[in-house]
Amino acid sequence: MSVRISPSILSADFVNLERDLHRISSADLVHVDVMDGHFVPNLTLGLPVVQRIAEVSPLPLDIHLMIDDPDSWAPRYAETGAFSVTFPAEAASDPKALARAIRSAGSRAAVAVKPGTAIEPWLDLLDEIDMILVMTVEPGFGGQSFIDDTMPKLRTAREAVDASGLDVWLEVDGGINDETIVTAVRNGADTIVAGSSVYGRPGTPEPAERIAALRAAAGRVA
Ligand code: DX5
Ligand code: ZN
């Protein structure tokens, strides 16, 4: 099956962000991690920066909110013209209303579940959402190791989505490389976030080569 690749700019050079956005133009989406220093311990960027990224990005924005009070903030991120806005399951007070607000602002609505968060309550809301993000690390930082124990949850989501016949995408985020992408796709992921394995370190292969390698690895899944 062919998967969508969404490189995370958390591992890009924030001082040369426009250049680094263009270095991933062979991907499908660009994953933008918004962290507020409260919902997660880390702090990244906020609405004005995302608005500017939306203006210069060659790819549609896959915004991943790791913030408190997504009910207030997520629709404003959708108004940047984002392709997709993902809110954290654990912080949403009225998920159905929030998903509707994101959709009516013109974005696909998605919910993210941390490794320890159950998926079952969200399977009743499948007709209200366009994507489920199964976090494969604890949110907050790039460069962590993939948590295999999240795979049964991903399989449960895949079975429910297939049984529903709805067009709900299943995204994974955290610790994805040429090996773990195979595990994730085998367990039902169709949309793949990769940060450190795409941007790497200076002197390592270019992001375009890394994106191609991830696609090739996913393509070998029977
Ligand atoms: C972590 C972020 C991820 C992060 C992934 O909380 O949500 O998007 O950039 O980084 P890697 O691919 O390095 O694990
Ligand atoms: Zn993310």
Side-chain angles (χ1 to χ4, degrees), residues 84-88 99 102 108-112 129-133 171:
S84 172
V85 175
T86 302
F87 61 85
I102 292 170
R108 287 169 62 95
V111 61
I129 52 177
D130 301 294
M131 185 169 78
I132 298 173
L133 166 50
E171 185 171 61

Side-chain angles (χ1 to χ4, degrees), residues 99-115:
R100 288 181 180 179
I102 292 170
R103 280 178 164 179
S104 60
S107 298
R108 287 169 62 95
V111 61
V113 288
K114 292 207 252 186

Side-chain angles (χ1 to χ4, degrees), residues 8 31 33 64 66 133 135 173 193:
S8 166
H31 186 82
D33 289 301
H64 179 192
M66 285 160 277
L133 166 50
M135 287 302 301
D173 182 8
V193 179

Side-chain angles (χ1 to χ4, degrees), residues 27-144:
D28 300 285
L29 300 164
V30 55
H31 186 82
V32 180
D33 289 301
V34 176
M35 306 186 190
D36 66 354
H38 293 274
F39 179 76
V40 288
N42 201 3
L43 180 68
T44 54
L45 41 81
L47 195 52
V49 179
V50 174
Q51 284 165 337
R52 188 69 187 118
I53 291 171
E55 287 170 6
V56 303
S57 174
L59 293 172
L61 268 51
D62 167 30
I63 299 181
H64 179 192
L65 299 177
M66 285 160 277
I67 59 172
D68 283 344
D69 195 16
D71 299 71
S72 302
W73 284 99
R76 295 188 231 179
Y77 282 91
E79 285 161 12
T80 65
F83 176 77
S84 172
V85 175
T86 302
F87 61 85
E90 302 80 9
S93 353
D94 186 346
K96 195 187 280 191
L98 176 49
R100 288 181 180 179
I102 292 170
R103 280 178 164 179
S104 60
S107 298
R108 287 169 62 95
V111 61
V113 288
K114 292 207 252 186
T117 300
I119 194 85
E120 284 73 13
W122 299 94
L123 302 180
D124 295 332
L125 279 182
L126 282 185
D127 54 347
E128 302 282 350
I129 52 177
D130 301 294
M131 185 169 78
I132 298 173
L133 166 50
V134 173
M135 287 302 301
T136 43
V137 297
E138 288 299 335
F141 299 93
Q144 303 182 77

